[in-house]
Amino acid sequence: MNIFEYKLPVFKQYLGLTTGFGFNFTTIGLRNDYDIVHPQDSVYGVQNLTHSYRVNSLSVQYLTIPLLFDFSTNAYQRSSFYFVAGVVGGLRIGSSTYQTGKYSNGDRYQNTVRSRFNMLPYSLEAMARMGYGAWGIFASYNLTSLFNKNATVTVLPLKVGITLNVSFVDNPKKKKSEES
């Protein structure tokens, strides 16, 4: 979510440099009922043989600043094909695990643990986006590990998905034609 986005035009509005300030919310699903154990200098997973989790996930939140090269076929998003590529830097503001399930007696539980989990306090990811109008697809790949060096194996998340782009800038030419 790039809330305060600004495009610095290089060639009119067709080619530019996009930056801003935003948020990134990432959730990673954990399989096979693993608990994340994080003593002082390491991180590892231990399979929990006493519980069967219905939901088991690790969530991380970042404040982000993108630096993206932006090409679009039209100055206005509504009727434009676009391609964007660059890097996004992030500062971790929170991380937690979330687990839900049932005890053997049928009672339900949900557990949330907030911790640093020996994660890096920052991230840097390469990102590419493309689409037409409000809809698009994206892919991003972390260039920095999710966890501190030597805490565990290097984990470099890859994210892909669909985007819904919301623009609050209207096409002034369209407004003039609607008024007349």
Side-chain angles (χ1 to χ4, degrees):
M1 225 185 315
N2 195 20
I3 305 225
F4 301 105
E5 184 171 293
Y6 183 73
K7 183 177 179 180
L8 301 162
V10 174
F11 178 70
K12 298 186 180 182
Q13 285 293 323
Y14 304 110
L15 183 62
L17 187 63
T18 297
T19 188
F21 180 76
F23 300 97
N24 178 329
F25 306 98
T26 300
T27 301
I28 301 168
L30 305 172
R31 294 184 185 176
N32 299 332
D33 301 326
Y34 277 95
D35 291 329
I36 295 179
V37 180
H38 55 287
Q40 190 156 356
D41 294 343
S42 62
V43 177
Y44 54 91
V46 175
Q47 191 168 12
N48 190 327
L49 302 174
T50 60
H51 289 91
S52 180
Y53 299 128
R54 185 171 163 258
V55 174
N56 189 13
S57 61
L58 169 66
S59 296
V60 187
Q61 302 82 36
Y62 295 96
L63 292 175
T64 60
I65 297 177
L67 186 57
L68 307 166
F69 292 102
D70 188 329
F71 168 77
S72 56
T73 58
N74 193 323
Y76 302 99
Q77 176 186 344
R78 183 170 287 157
S79 57
S80 177
F81 170 80
Y82 64 90
F83 177 78
V84 180
V87 294
V88 179
L91 179 64
R92 185 176 44 80
I93 56 173
S95 51
S96 62
T97 57
Y98 178 72
Q99 299 163 331
T100 64
K102 282 186 183 180
Y103 292 115
S104 57
N105 67 1
D107 290 347
R108 295 177 185 214
Y109 66 87
Q110 66 181 32
N111 232 0
T112 301
V113 175
R114 288 174 178 74
S115 177
R116 292 187 181 116
F117 298 102
N118 292 314
M119 293 181 164
L120 279 178
Y122 57 88
S123 74
L124 183 66
E125 62 185 70
M127 175 179 279
R129 302 184 309 199
M130 65 184 287
Y132 181 81
W135 294 97
I137 58 174
F138 80 94
S140 72
Y141 179 73
N142 271 46
L143 302 172
T144 56
S145 178
L146 190 59
F147 297 100
N148 289 329
K149 187 176 183 178
N150 299 327
T152 189
V153 297
T154 300
V155 178
L156 302 168
L158 169 69
K159 299 175 240 174
V160 294
I162 298 171
T163 60
L164 174 61
N165 306 308
V166 179
S167 176
F168 297 103
V169 179
D170 287 331
N171 184 343
K173 291 179 185 176
K174 186 173 181 176
K175 274 190 173 181
K176 284 183 182 178
S177 66
E178 288 175 354
E179 290 171 0
S180 48

